[in-house]
Amino acid sequence: AEKQPGKLKRTLLMLSVPVLVVAAGGYFWVTSGRSVSTDNAYVKQDIVSVSSDVGGRIVEVKVRENQLVKAGDILFMVDQLPYKVALEQANAQIANAQVQVGKLRTDVTASSVDIAGARENVFYAQEDLKRQQELMKSGFTTRARLQQSEQAVDNARTQLRTAEADAAKARAAFATGSEVPGVNPEIAAARAVRESAALNLERTVVRAPVSGRISQADRLQIGQMAVQSLPMVSIVAS
């Protein structure tokens, strides 16, 4: 009779251990592998890296860490001076091309005048040759004078051919191509350079491509060199 309580306790203890093991296993199965926790608040959001399309020294920073920005807001600015100089040089190149086109137009006009003068010289030389030939038949001129007239005709014709070649060259230089009809190629090339310079100047102002929250703003320091296409700051897209 005295041994019954001790035996009962041992029996209950033996039964409770498997129950606890099963309960613990069930709890682990229910709570594990079904959710992921993290300290990163932006793990499920897109992170956009922002870089400068032009290189240069950073002269102004408009944002700070964790600041909310909208698409189009200015993030930072690159030194504009070199790109302003490039734009001025492009404008000067256009002006120079316009001067050259003016000279070409003058050359075309002058070549037309030269052709007209050369044709008149040919006509007068041929008329003189005809007179010398008639005089030669009558015996009123010399063989040397006749040959001189023949040489004058040859020289006049040579001058005409030269004037026509110069006119063709001038017209070719003044002509426009099919890609930019009505615009001289020199001027078209100078305008393309100016457009590129203006675009680079505009790109010195770096804007947010998307709305979101600024991250890694510590990489933006005034005086730091911005390298083209190298990420400078990030935006966690909202």
Side-chain angles (χ1 to χ4, degrees), residues 78-105:
V78 176
D79 187 11
Q80 294 183 335
L81 182 58
Y83 300 98
K84 289 181 178 179
V85 172
L87 182 59
E88 292 176 357
Q89 291 175 340
N91 289 330
Q93 186 175 347
I94 290 178
N96 182 65
Q98 291 171 339
V99 171
Q100 295 301 321
V101 169
K103 291 181 179 180
L104 294 175
R105 185 182 293 109

Side-chain angles (χ1 to χ4, degrees), residues 38-45:
T38 178
D39 292 333
N40 187 355
Y42 308 122
V43 69
K44 294 184 179 180
Q45 294 179 277

Side-chain angles (χ1 to χ4, degrees), residues 214-231:
I214 294 295
S215 177
Q216 299 176 324
D218 56 330
R219 292 188 294 184
L220 292 177
Q221 301 294 331
I222 295 178
Q224 179 182 357
M225 293 299 296
V227 180
Q228 183 179 0
S229 301
L230 181 67

Side-chain angles (χ1 to χ4, degrees), residues 118-202:
R119 287 174 177 172
E120 290 181 359
N121 292 337
V122 171
F123 174 77
Y124 290 130
Q126 289 175 338
E127 290 297 315
D128 182 68
L129 177 60
K130 290 179 182 179
R131 286 194 299 269
Q132 293 300 322
Q133 289 173 341
E134 293 296 328
L135 291 174
M136 189 65 185
K137 292 178 181 179
S138 303
F140 290 101
T141 188
T142 63
R143 174 64 62 180
R145 183 68 181 83
L146 179 62
Q147 291 177 347
Q148 184 179 357
S149 296
E150 292 174 345
Q151 184 64 39
V153 171
D154 292 339
N155 292 338
R157 289 173 176 172
T158 300
Q159 291 177 356
L160 176 59
R161 289 193 294 268
T162 301
E164 290 173 342
D166 291 341
K169 183 178 179 180
R171 288 192 299 269
F174 186 67
T176 61
S178 59
E179 295 297 328
V180 281
V183 182
N184 180 268
E186 296 292 334
I187 294 181
R191 288 178 178 175
V193 173
R194 182 178 63 179
E195 291 177 1
S196 177
L199 179 60
N200 287 335
L201 179 59
E202 181 181 352

Side-chain angles (χ1 to χ4, degrees), residues 42-49 210-213 234-238:
Y42 308 122
V43 69
K44 294 184 179 180
Q45 294 179 277
D46 294 331
I47 299 178
V48 180
S49 295
V210 296
S211 299
R213 190 177 296 275
S234 299
I235 299 178
V236 181
S238 59

